[in-house]
Amino acid sequence: MVETFQAFHPVLQALIAGLFTWGCTIFGSAFVFLFKEVNRKFLDSMNGFAAGVMIAASFWSLLAPSISSAEQNGYGLWSWVPAAVGFLFGGFFLRLLDVVIPHLHLGEPVEHAEGPKTSVSKNMLLFLAITIHNIPEGLSVGVAFGATSVGIANGDAFLSAVGLAIGIGIQNIPEGSALSMPIRAAGSSRWKAFNLGQLSAIVEPIAAVIGAFAVISMSAILPYALAFAAGAMIFVVVEQLIPESQTNGNNDIATLSLMLGFTVMMILDVALG
């Protein structure tokens, strides 16, 4: 089965991987049919776990291959430049989205909504916050699979991309629950809560295809694109996931969960890549 998947065009691989990560969000969002609300300690631990996965993925699956790609392309002593430039631009890009898209982080009152003032509902603001979060995840998957067409001297690029997709998929399961359950608890129907939860990740297969296509079309941008995805993910981790996991008295379990998520993603990437 792995051989069949590997034979597909990298853009198709990225699409399938993006659909997989979206499917994991759908699965997690479906928990709303079993429970009315999510336990806060569980939510904080899952936010910590997701942060750990994304930090590990940012280094092993994105920044390290970025530097390897730059070395392959003759940057020499300047091989750090694409990683540094792309990483910073990824963070600035997410900051720009924060400014232009109204959104509300989980657990915050509607008065703390960020971005332009708007009259949209609290549920939609929560939905937009998670959607922003999912864009860099989709991009990172797409860029990783696009990199397989270029060939990076950093282990098996294809298996590394598979490991990245698996890691993001794992952390998307609790993420889907973390959105759908608060929406349900606020009074919405289970179907509405489920649909908003799962639709927040529909951007992942779209972003994955865009990322893979961009890398394949312009292979020279590969080291920058890898680092860009890493920077965007780290911005989400520091600006959203870690603060949300550390403000409800569950600091220790959230921190240990972050370490567990980091370890799981590190094992996936090193073992597969």
Side-chain angles (χ1 to χ4, degrees), residues 58 62 86 90 136-137 139-141 143 224-234:
S58 295
L62 298 169
E137 294 179 7
L139 281 174
S140 66
V141 169
V143 169
Y224 294 93
L226 288 163
F228 179 93
M233 289 213 295
I234 290 298

Side-chain angles (χ1 to χ4, degrees), residues 89-112:
F89 266 90
F92 285 126
F93 173 72
L94 260 291
R95 174 56 185 155
L96 177 62
L97 292 185
D98 264 359
V99 171
V100 301
I101 299 177
H103 61 284
L104 177 68
H105 296 307
L106 293 171
E108 294 285 343
V110 71
E111 294 79 16
H112 291 177

Side-chain angles (χ1 to χ4, degrees), residues 3 32 64 72 82 117 180 186 201-202 233 250:
E3 291 78 8
V32 76
Q72 270 190 287
K117 297 297 182 183
S180 64
I202 197 173
M233 289 213 295
N250 299 311

